[in-house]
């Protein structure tokens, strides 16, 4: 059977800003999904990158006193560095200023034009540069000084300019049918309902070119027009796999994308405009758009002007990378908003990582080290309690998989912790430290059963905490090629010499962390 293929994308990030925790979050969710699929044996293509055109980036460049290209080169690098610091496993990092992307964007434009979906007109209406989005007057609120404010809080300005339009108003029924036929196209359900009612409310034709600035992909055959940045940006998902060459091997293998991971603020672009553009260009829409929630910092909206931007590098240095990865996906149901607070991170690290999982591994491995001559013991006859724990371990991958299929990362981790807690309860009840003298065979069985449970935990948790789980599996001497999900059935070999155990998750102690209590 050919391997399953899985194409997953993060949004491409505007290069107007330094990366913050919100950006790290979207790509982290993709990374965990990509790693999960790879360990499941799928052929994965995981794409991330930067969105470098448009008025917002052009303005940031001129505010920085730099030319647009020089500015985007510099800021794009920050996102590449972030990807490294967060240990993302992306297969490609795309920049929309690459020549291949200009080619792909112009090709989709030409296809839409050839199919009769584009016409020349003039736009007069509201535009919010911060969101790079057009708004109806009815969507805006009055702000101070007569300003018009978009639902996102961004200021909208009145724009009047010649513009090409995409005939979005004709796509309502086809989109609604598409959502109906594909009930999991937009997750979670609350976002789906929002999109459906937006489309039911009636769609207007969409302005897809701008003439009041030049930092964008030139519209083919229309001097003075650059493409609306969202049409350019969304097309990155096609560029990366070889479009416009629809016969390219990567294109044939990976389109349609399986999952566009996005934040809730950009659902409309991905779930309304994008499928309409694609269908208009005779291409199938992606299989799923998942919209996650937003983080606040200690209860406050994260914004540069409030000075409370959480820089991923600082947080990684303070708490540890895998601790941060765990926290972000454990703390809130994926799809909901969440609050990033020092107390919450510390509780998760000390309660669940250091106490529950870290102690479990440390207790078991040090007993093997001290009491079994550092060799994995031989299991004797199994009691019903041994079997119950082993059965739960054997079921773990399937149980967690059900949550992963719908991007319920918090639920996946909760399922893993049910086993962690069961294993801790089993250690306490079996008390292997008391068996050493009187019943060493039973002690060996208990430690072996526990080692097997820890192996399952380590393998299944790798996508979330690749480094820490790598170390944990090293300590169980699980060979590198036996760490994928297909190898879960390969039981540990008794008699294997284990390396000296070392704690995987240290407790977070305020005093040692210095400034951490602030
Ligand atoms: N360039 C567009 C995306 C184009 S995709 C074809 C864009 N970029 S962005 O840099 O502004 O945002 C990228 C992602 O970061 C979005 O998914 C957004 O939801 C996410 N976040 C930005 N701030 C966030 C939080 N405070 N919390 C969680 N995610 C947030 O939009």
């Amino acid at each position: 059977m050919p391997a399953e293929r899985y194409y997953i994308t993060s949004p491409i990030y505007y290069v107007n800003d330094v990366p913050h925790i919100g950006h790290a979050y979207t790509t982290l969710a993709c990374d965990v999904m990509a790693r999960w699929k790879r360990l499941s044996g799928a052929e994965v293509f995981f794409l991330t990158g930067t969105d470098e055109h448009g008025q917002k980036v052009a303005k940031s460049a001129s505010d920085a006193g730099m030319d647009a290209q020089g500015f985007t080169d510099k800021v794009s690098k920050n996102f590449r560095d972030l990807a490294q610091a967060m240990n993302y496993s992306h297969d490609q990092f795309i920049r929309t200023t690459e020549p291949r992307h200009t080619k792909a964007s112009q090709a989709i434009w030409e296809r839409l034009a050839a199919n009769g979906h584009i016409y020349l007109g003039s736009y007069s209406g509201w535009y919010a540069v911060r969101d790079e989005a057009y708004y109806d007057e009815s969507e805006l609120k009055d702000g101070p000084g007569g300003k018009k404010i978009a639902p996102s809080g961004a200021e909208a300005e009145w724009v009047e300019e010649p513009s090409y339009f995409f005939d979005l108003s004709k796509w309502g029924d086809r989109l609604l049918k598409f959502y109906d036929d594909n009930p999991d196209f937009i997750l979670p359900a609350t976002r789906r309902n929002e999109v459906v009612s937006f489309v039911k409310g009636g769609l207007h034709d969409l302005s897809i070119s701008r003439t009041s600035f030049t930092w964008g992909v030139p519209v083919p055959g229309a001097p003075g027009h650059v493409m609306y940045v969202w049409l350019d940006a969304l097309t990155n998902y096609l560029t990366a796999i070889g479009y416009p060459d629809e016969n390219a091997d990567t294109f044939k293998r990976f389109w349609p994308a399986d999952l566009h991971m996005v934040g809730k603020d950009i659902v409309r672009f991905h779930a309304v405009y994008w499928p309409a553009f694609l269908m208009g260009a005779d291409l199938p829409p992606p299989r799923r758009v998942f919209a996650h929630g937003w983080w606040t910092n200690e209860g406050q909206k994260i914004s540069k002007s409030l000075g409370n931007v959480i820089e991923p590098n600082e947080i990684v240095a303070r708490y540890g990378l895998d601790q941060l990865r765990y926290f972000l996906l454990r703390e809130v149901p994926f799809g909901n908003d969440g609050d990033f607070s020092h107390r919450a991170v510390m509780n998760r690290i000390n309660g669940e990582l250091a106490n529950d999982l870290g102690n479990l591994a440390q207790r078991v491995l040090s007993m093997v080290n001290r009491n079994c001559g550092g060799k994995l013991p031989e299991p004797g006859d199994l009691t019903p309690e041994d079997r119950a724990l082993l059965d739960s371990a054997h079921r773990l991958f399937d149980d967690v998989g059900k949550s992963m299929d719908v991007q319920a990362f918090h639920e996946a981790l909760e399922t893993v912790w049910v086993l962690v807690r069961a294993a801790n309860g089993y250690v306490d009840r079996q008390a292997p430290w008391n068996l050493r003298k009187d019943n060493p065979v039973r002690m060996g069985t208990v430690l072996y059963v526990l080692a097997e449970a820890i192996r399952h935990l380590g393998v299944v948790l790798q996508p979330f905490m690749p480094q820490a789980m790598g170390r944990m599996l090293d300590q169980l001497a699980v060979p590198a090629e036996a760490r994928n999900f297909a190898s879960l059935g390969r039981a540990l070999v008794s008699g294997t010499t284990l390396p000296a155990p070392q704690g995987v998750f240290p407790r977070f102690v305020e005093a040692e962390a210095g400034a951490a209590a602030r």
Side-chain angles (χ1 to χ4, degrees), residues 12-228:
I12 47 172
Y13 298 93
Y14 287 129
V15 285
N16 64 314
D17 222 341
V18 287
H20 67 64
I21 202 78
H23 308 128
Y25 183 55
T26 315
T27 322
L28 170 63
C30 297
D31 184 58
V32 170
M33 226 32 240
R35 288 175 184 271
W36 179 268
K37 288 287 176 182
R38 283 193 205 104
L39 288 169
S40 305
E43 201 184 324
V44 172
F45 194 101
F46 165 18
L47 175 69
T48 187
T50 42
D51 189 353
E52 307 193 358
H53 288 133
Q55 212 174 346
K56 162 160 153 160
V57 172
K59 184 173 178 312
S60 299
S62 82
D63 289 352
M66 294 178 77
D67 71 291
Q69 188 63 55
F71 176 78
T72 58
D73 289 346
K74 177 166 166 257
V75 188
S76 174
K77 186 170 178 305
N78 296 337
F79 283 89
R80 258 183 214 272
D81 292 347
L82 171 75
Q84 203 174 3
M86 293 293 296
N87 194 14
Y88 298 145
S89 61
H90 52 289
D91 296 288
Q92 202 184 103
F93 188 101
I94 190 168
R95 299 183 53 188
T96 54
T97 47
E98 293 174 51
R100 62 174 177 151
H101 180 67
T102 300
K103 196 169 133 202
S105 306
Q106 291 181 335
I108 194 170
W109 180 288
E110 279 168 344
R111 181 76 78 86
L112 291 171
N115 287 351
H117 298 302
I118 295 181
Y119 64 90
L120 183 62
S122 90
Y123 179 76
S124 48
W126 296 98
Y127 191 80
V129 176
R130 204 181 84 192
D131 300 344
E132 296 283 19
Y134 302 95
Y135 288 103
D136 271 358
E137 178 122 13
S138 62
E139 293 179 282
L140 304 175
K141 285 207 188 82
D142 291 324
K147 287 179 179 159
K148 290 284 183 186
I149 308 296
S152 62
E155 195 183 317
E157 58 188 46
W158 184 256
V159 171
E160 278 186 25
E161 59 189 14
S163 171
Y164 283 95
F165 284 82
F166 172 74
D167 61 359
L168 187 67
S169 62
K170 297 193 184 129
W171 287 87
D173 288 344
R174 266 172 287 185
L175 286 169
L176 290 170
K177 177 165 186 328
F178 176 70
Y179 305 146
D180 243 19
D181 293 345
N182 300 279
D184 291 337
F185 171 62
I186 306 165
L187 287 183
T190 44
R191 300 290 163 216
R192 175 193 159 82
N193 297 341
E194 258 172 45
V195 168
V196 169
S197 56
F198 173 72
V199 174
K200 281 191 174 152
L203 297 170
H204 302 299
D205 287 351
L206 181 71
S207 161
I208 51 165
S209 78
R210 305 286 315 268
T211 42
S212 48
F213 62 92
T214 56
W215 184 238
V217 175
V219 170
H225 287 257
V226 293
M227 283 169 59
Y228 171 40

Side-chain angles (χ1 to χ4, degrees), residues 10-14 16 20-23 25-26 51 56 79 230 233-234 236-237 261-266 270 292-296 302:
S10 82
I12 47 172
Y13 298 93
Y14 287 129
N16 64 314
H20 67 64
I21 202 78
H23 308 128
Y25 183 55
T26 315
D51 189 353
K56 162 160 153 160
F79 283 89
W230 269 101
L234 289 160
N236 92 87
Y237 302 135
M261 187 66 82
V262 300
K264 63 180 183 180
D265 52 319
I266 56 175
H270 284 82
H292 66 66
W294 269 45
W295 286 94
T296 49
I302 300 176

